[in-house]
Amino acid sequence: MIAKVSCAALMGIDAFKVDLEVDLTRQGMPAFTMVGLAEGAVKESKERVFSALKNSGYRLPPSRITVNLAPADIRKAGSAYDLPLAVALLGAAGIIDQSALEGWFLAGELSLNGSIKPVHGVLPVAIEARNKGAKGLIVSALNSNEAAVVEGLDVYGVATLSQLVDFFIGEDALEPAKIDTEILWQGRQSFGVDFAEVKGQEHAKRAIEIGAAGNHNILFIGPPGSGKTMLAKRIPTVLPPLVFEEALEVTKIYSVSGRLDRDKSLMVTRPFRSPHHTISDAGLIGGGAYPKPGEVSLAHRGVLFLDELPEFKKNVLEVLRQPLEGGEVTISRAAMSLSYPADFMLVAAMNPCPCGYYTDDHHTCTCSSQSVARYMSRLSGPLLDRIDLQIEVPAVDYKDLRDSRGLDSASMRENIERVRALQSDRYKDINILTNSELSGSSLEKYCQLTEAEHTFLEQAVRSLGLSARAYTRVLRIARTIADLAEEERIQVAHLAEAINYRSMDRKG
């Protein structure tokens, strides 16, 4: 007898439907065969499933069993196939009627005692089930809240295999999981830090306001103790809150990577990722034998903070080029090629020299000119070109430490949200969100200059030796500065301020 149930496989951060078919016959010697490009954990499901069936009180007759996972040409991995396999076996054995299984999606790992464990990637599975018009999705009770954020789909959480069987044979009823999305959004802008705590550094705060308003990348350069890390960690407090579509996208990434907390069904705050400088290129960009999202994808729609930037391996930094330009990263393997979203705001910090005191008036730098040059050469020109705002952060004066109280996060966020709303309305017809994405014809259209601005910018490009990419980024920054000033056109003062934020170019 043949039985079929629906489940799903993950590809990147999305899922696609898989039909799990079981043919159970008593002809021939008892055997178990699984086909359909199943990887290690899927093949091992046989032992878990048969033990779970036995310990739940269900015994299959000695049979020749063939399991097919269709489409058969796409790799299937993970333990989420345990539950659909067990249910399909019971359907093929006649314990569950096949008609009762139609239209349901299932995902879950089985313990040997028949209890159902949570699995990774349930959110994209729920989205796929809804898109395929499923009757409902059945998962572990510990996964039900995560899947229930998908509107238009009934999600049922079950604790044991026997409970699920009772549901399918009509002896028990299940209630769909319910999530109050209003409660999820409460406290999403609650932070334990504020820019008001940062003494002095008003120049850096201004740069952060510009960077956050236009989603521009930022590099802080200054001596130890000047507040670079303190500034960076407070950037999420001024970013606009996630909208539901963004939150869903971020949650999918954390779901498939297994990093979503069980008590969180939705990521409602923008991520802030700060990997250590010893991270590998695969850890940063993603990869592995079975590719997983890296730090650049985990920072999607949020902030990726790289402290002590020159201490990162050069090959690690160079892999940042693709996501910084395209907003996504592609990982290619012999068997597949996967793309993960990676649209983040890069914030980096570095010392001006190995000892850190090259630009500090209060400490003597012990580095030779050769060691300073060697230290700075760890950052390639193409990478620096992709960092829009390069800000010098000097040591804080004692007077500022004692008296200063500058802009707080709420005031900065108010300006930033106003400018973000302006950009959203301006670019609604060209599928971009912020000024940092302007390029080509859109750059020419929205960053028009008069002859006076062209003359000023030409002199700056020639004297500083700016590359074509740096020229583009100056225009983008100037567009954001003009938006903050509520000016329709870019003026010379906006261009001058934008160029002032290219400190590495000015040193050159």
Side-chain angles (χ1 to χ4, degrees):
M1 185 175 177
I2 295 178
K4 183 174 74 171
V5 298
S6 297
C7 50
L10 298 175
M11 182 172 287
I13 65 167
D14 295 313
F16 62 91
K17 182 181 178 183
V18 171
D19 291 323
L20 190 151
E21 302 169 319
V22 171
D23 180 23
L24 188 150
T25 178
R26 298 190 183 184
Q27 298 177 358
M29 294 292 291
F32 183 94
T33 304
M34 180 179 286
V35 296
L37 213 57
E39 299 293 340
V42 185
K43 291 180 178 179
E44 292 173 354
S45 64
K46 169 194 170 185
E47 309 302 331
R48 292 191 297 272
V49 167
F50 277 100
S51 292
L53 288 171
K54 179 190 70 174
N55 293 319
S56 298
Y58 307 106
R59 294 194 176 275
L60 301 179
S63 310
R64 188 175 187 86
I65 299 172
T66 303
V67 179
N68 178 43
L69 299 167
D73 60 341
I74 299 178
R75 181 182 67 88
K76 323 296 187 310
S79 58
Y81 301 95
D82 290 6
L83 186 60
L85 175 57
V87 170
L89 285 169
L90 293 172
I95 298 173
I96 299 176
D97 190 271
Q98 172 63 37
S99 62
L101 302 177
E102 293 178 0
W104 292 94
F105 270 64
L106 296 94
E109 179 184 331
L110 285 173
S111 291
L112 299 185
N113 64 0
S115 61
I116 302 173
K117 293 183 175 182
V119 293
H120 303 327
V122 163
L123 180 58
V125 171
I127 294 173
E128 175 68 3
R130 181 196 60 188
N131 294 343
K132 294 298 183 183
K135 186 185 299 183
L137 171 66
I138 297 174
V139 295
S140 165
L142 296 175
N143 277 140
S144 59
N145 285 344
E146 176 186 339
V149 300
V150 178
E151 297 179 352
L153 176 72
D154 287 334
V155 176
Y156 298 85
V158 290
T160 64
L161 178 60
S162 57
Q163 180 188 7
L164 179 57
V165 174
D166 289 343
F167 169 71
F168 278 129
I169 65 178
E171 293 185 359
D172 195 6
L174 295 175
E175 291 294 326
K178 299 294 183 183
I179 289 293
D180 188 343
T181 54
E182 292 298 323
I183 294 178
L184 292 178
W185 292 113
Q186 291 178 5
R188 59 178 171 165
Q189 290 298 96
S190 176
F191 302 97
V193 294
D194 194 282
F195 269 109
E197 301 160 352
V198 179
K199 304 296 185 180
Q201 306 299 8
E202 296 305 307
H203 175 66
K205 287 185 185 180
R206 167 65 174 173
I208 288 171
E209 190 174 57
I210 295 168
N215 199 36
H216 303 291
N217 303 317
I218 301 176
L219 171 63
F220 296 120
I221 309 157
S226 58
K228 303 185 295 296
T229 302
M230 191 176 185
L231 288 163
K233 289 185 175 180
R234 282 157 178 75
I235 290 177
T237 68
V238 300
L239 293 176
L242 288 170
V243 298
F244 182 76
E245 291 75 15
E246 291 177 322
L248 207 60
E249 197 173 18
V250 173
T251 307
K252 284 168 65 177
I253 298 171
Y254 279 74
S255 179
V256 300
S257 63
R259 295 175 180 266
L260 185 65
D261 293 340
R262 292 298 174 205
D263 58 345
K264 287 185 179 179
S265 53
L266 191 69
M267 297 283 292
V268 296
T269 57
R270 294 188 182 272
F272 180 88
R273 304 295 300 183
S274 181
H276 193 261
H277 64 260
T278 57
I279 192 172
S280 67
D281 51 355
L284 186 65
I285 214 75
Y290 302 119
K292 291 287 187 181
E295 289 291 335
V296 296
S297 296
L298 294 171
H300 182 61
R301 302 298 184 194
V303 175
L304 177 67
F305 177 49
L306 302 183
D307 202 3
E308 305 296 343
L309 187 65
E311 301 299 331
F312 286 78
K313 299 183 183 70
K314 194 161 189 175
N315 66 302
V316 172
L317 293 179
E318 293 307 306
V319 298
L320 283 172
R321 292 193 198 180
Q322 182 194 11
L324 286 176
E325 280 297 312
E328 68 174 13
V329 58
T330 301
I331 302 169
S332 298
R333 295 292 181 265
M336 70 183 72
S337 180
L338 298 177
S339 292
Y340 292 108
D343 186 4
F344 56 88
M345 179 180 175
L346 175 65
V347 179
M350 62 178 288
N351 296 328
C353 66
C355 79
Y357 297 110
Y358 184 65
T359 58
D360 193 344
D361 295 334
H362 304 292
H363 294 82
T364 302
C365 176
T366 60
C367 305
S368 65
S369 57
Q370 292 85 356
S371 64
V372 173
R374 189 162 53 247
Y375 180 77
M376 298 302 294
S377 70
R378 296 180 186 178
L379 306 179
S380 68
L383 177 63
L384 287 175
D385 271 353
R386 287 170 169 82
I387 300 178
D388 307 5
L389 301 160
Q390 302 158 1
I391 315 301
E392 293 185 357
V393 184
V396 183
D397 186 79
Y398 179 78
K399 183 179 179 181
D400 289 329
L401 286 174
R402 187 185 66 178
D403 301 327
S404 176
R405 180 176 175 85
L407 281 174
D408 59 12
S409 293
S411 301
M412 294 172 68
R413 185 167 60 247
E414 184 178 345
N415 288 335
I416 290 163
E417 289 182 351
R418 172 179 57 80
V419 174
R420 286 284 186 113
L422 173 66
Q423 293 170 79
S424 178
D425 183 64
R426 178 193 294 150
Y427 305 133
K428 61 185 177 183
D429 297 326
I430 57 174
N431 197 33
I432 67 174
L433 297 175
T434 58
N435 291 331
S436 65
E437 301 173 63
L438 288 171
S439 63
S441 59
S442 63
L443 188 73
E444 294 178 3
K445 179 179 179 181
Y446 297 106
C447 298
Q448 295 181 7
L449 305 178
T450 65
E451 192 60 36
E453 283 92 40
H454 274 300
T455 301
F456 174 82
L457 191 54
E458 180 181 2
Q459 292 175 346
V461 168
R462 292 183 184 278
S463 61
L464 297 176
L466 298 181
S467 67
R469 184 178 285 113
Y471 161 80
T472 298
R473 296 192 180 271
V474 166
L475 283 180
R476 292 172 178 170
I477 298 167
R479 178 67 271 169
T480 302
I481 295 171
D483 290 341
L484 282 166
E486 300 185 64
E487 297 285 352
E488 182 70 24
R489 298 185 62 88
I490 296 174
Q491 301 175 9
V492 170
H494 306 143
L495 291 169
E497 185 177 0
I499 292 169
N500 190 51
Y501 293 127
R502 303 288 301 181
S503 66
M504 302 292 282
D505 296 322
R506 289 188 281 109
K507 287 179 184 297

